[in-house]
Amino acid sequence: MIEVKKDKNDLYSFVVTAKGGNSILQSVPFPTKKELSATLKQLPPLVSKPSVFERKTSHNGKFHFTLKDQRGSIIGTSKDYSSEAGMENGITNFRNRISGLDQSQLP
């Protein structure tokens, strides 16, 4: 599921959640809903490319990934995972959620 949020500064963001309701990825803020919608429409073809996922390890040993667009700009960041395998599973779940979306299901 993709949930769109508007914050107190009138910036838009989206959260992609797993079927169980856990957050998989939180987007960066977008200044307009139009920009957010354009980014969401890019996601289905984008997630099939391995180069858009950047895997990282934090200083405390937790794992997370960032999603980048074709220009290399960060679109969003995942939650922290306790293992590398968990992070890889998060990427797989994210891909499955996005590739299974119909354009009409996007906010």
Side-chain angles (χ1 to χ4, degrees):
M1 181 173 140
I2 297 177
E3 180 184 355
V4 173
K5 298 179 179 183
K6 182 178 178 181
D7 70 15
K8 62 182 176 172
N9 298 318
D10 291 332
L11 297 174
Y12 294 87
S13 63
F14 64 89
V15 177
V16 178
T17 55
K19 288 182 181 179
N22 294 329
S23 171
I24 301 173
L25 182 119
Q26 169 71 49
S27 80
V28 297
F30 294 88
T32 66
K33 193 167 185 177
K34 184 177 179 180
E35 287 182 54
L36 179 134
S37 294
T39 300
L40 287 174
K41 288 179 180 163
Q42 292 177 21
L43 291 183
L46 192 66
V47 298
S48 65
K49 300 174 183 178
S51 62
V52 300
F53 293 98
E54 185 176 356
R55 293 147 173 90
K56 297 183 175 192
T57 307
S58 65
H59 66 282
N60 63 357
K62 300 287 184 181
F63 300 88
H64 68 275
F65 64 90
T66 57
L67 174 67
K68 296 185 175 188
D69 64 17
Q70 293 176 337
R71 297 180 318 260
S73 299
I74 294 175
I75 295 173
T77 303
S78 75
K79 67 174 193 165
D80 284 339
Y81 295 91
S82 58
S83 69
E84 192 171 357
M87 175 186 63
E88 293 298 330
N89 191 43
I91 291 172
T92 299
N93 285 338
F94 178 76
R95 278 187 168 136
N96 290 341
R97 293 296 276 175
I98 297 302
S99 60
L101 287 176
D102 184 324
Q103 290 289 327
S104 66
Q105 294 174 297
L106 296 175

